[in-house]
Amino acid sequence: MKITGETSMNRTRLVLTGWAAAAAIAMAGCDPQPKPEGTATSPSPAASSAAPTGGTATTATTDAATVKACADIKNDIKDNAAKVTKAEKIGPPAGHFAVSAQWAAGSVAILAHSMDANEAVTAASEKIQNEMMSLSDAYNKSADAKPSKKALEAAIKELDTACSAA
């Protein structure tokens, strides 16, 4: 069986995307923020007070999750931009695979951090994730790709709007 350049590229993309997804899944369970010591044995006064009724406790929890998701996603966007810039410095012909893989990895990180957010933030995050995958596809198709990032920038603005409303 003769493997064409396109088949080989598709296999390479599949492997790189798989690695990126596996790395993002592995990192999704990591919480880089240390837990304060002593909180398990001595509850705070707010924790020992009666919880309000009428669904406000759930709303507060959801809002806190959305705020955390927004912070994590914005950090993911900045981190991914730095990594893409570093990968772009590799240059063609091999560099485009690294850039494509980084866009795919970044999109998975965005998706992983948006899971507990409210609907507006989740929808905006999905748009960012889709645009990052589109950029991954564009870089994977051509070593000389210079795709526009305007759609990604618009999706990021939409996320900023959704996060500011949270």
Side-chain angles (χ1 to χ4, degrees):
M1 180 171 130
K2 184 176 179 183
I3 298 177
T4 64
E6 185 176 328
T7 303
S8 177
M9 192 177 337
N10 286 338
R11 272 197 194 137
T12 302
R13 179 170 183 248
L14 179 63
V15 169
L16 291 174
T17 303
W19 286 344
I25 290 168
M27 293 303 294
C30 297
D31 188 7
Q33 300 180 4
K35 305 276 188 243
E37 293 181 21
T39 57
T41 58
S42 59
S44 68
S48 62
S49 65
T53 58
T56 55
T58 304
T59 304
T61 304
T62 302
D63 291 344
T66 298
V67 169
K68 182 178 181 342
C70 285
D72 290 345
I73 292 166
K74 288 177 182 182
N75 188 38
D76 290 338
I77 292 168
K78 288 177 187 174
D79 182 51
N80 191 64
K83 289 178 180 176
V84 165
T85 299
K86 185 176 179 181
E88 286 175 335
K89 290 179 183 177
I90 297 170
H96 72 289
F97 288 122
V99 174
S100 175
Q102 186 54 53
W103 280 116
S107 73
V108 174
I110 300 286
L111 190 62
H113 284 123
S114 68
M115 292 193 184
D116 293 330
N118 67 22
E119 289 181 34
V121 171
T122 300
S125 298
E126 286 178 7
K127 288 181 181 180
I128 292 171
Q129 189 265 338
N130 289 334
E131 292 305 323
M132 286 182 163
M133 284 307 296
S134 294
L135 289 167
S136 174
D137 291 343
Y139 277 98
N140 194 42
K141 288 179 185 174
S142 170
D144 298 320
K146 298 288 183 205
S148 172
K149 296 177 186 156
K150 287 184 180 182
L152 175 62
E153 292 166 0
I156 291 170
K157 286 181 183 178
E158 187 175 324
L159 174 74
D160 290 339
T161 302
C163 286
S164 66

